[in-house]
Amino acid sequence: QVQLVESGGESVQAGGSLRLSCAASGISFSINTMGWYRQAPGNQQRELVAAVGSGGIANYADSVKGRFTIFRDKNTVYLQMSNLKPDDTAVYYCNGRGSAYNYWGQGTQVTVSS
């Protein structure tokens, strides 16, 4: 059974930093694309924050460019978040996907206070 397990969510003050981690288990191959999505309070949709392919090419939401960095080591993906803002408050979900699969973690809460 494939599992994505996130960690690192906390409550921080604006301007602070956090690193989220997500480790995949129960999978024997390299996940094609790993990424982070977030769902803010009151929003029904998850938005892409950042994603990175197996070759290391990353893409970011405009709202986090220059502040967040995504990187991976095999099937573990990290999100380094700096200069956090209250608008970054959300549940952050790890995602691993390919042409025939799409896995989600359970989510980790990030709360940024002003």
Side-chain angles (χ1 to χ4, degrees), residues 37-83:
Y37 289 72
R38 67 187 181 187
Q39 187 168 0
N43 287 1
Q44 293 190 349
Q45 298 236 353
R46 296 178 185 179
E47 63 169 356
L48 174 67
V49 177
V52 58
S54 56
I57 296 176
N59 62 286
Y60 297 89
D62 287 343
S63 60
V64 306
K65 283 180 181 176
R67 301 188 298 120
F68 291 10
T69 302
I70 188 170
F71 54 100
R72 66 186 286 181
D73 178 12
K74 299 180 182 177
N75 284 340
T76 298
V77 66
Y78 305 90
L79 186 67
Q80 179 66 47
M81 305 186 292
S82 301
N83 190 20

Side-chain angles (χ1 to χ4, degrees), residues 7 40 55 76 108 113:
S7 61
T76 298
T108 187
S113 58

Side-chain angles (χ1 to χ4, degrees), residues 2 26-32 72 75 101 103:
V2 177
I27 192 164
S28 59
F29 54 89
S30 178
I31 295 174
N32 189 310
R72 66 186 286 181
N75 284 340
Y101 55 89
Y103 305 123

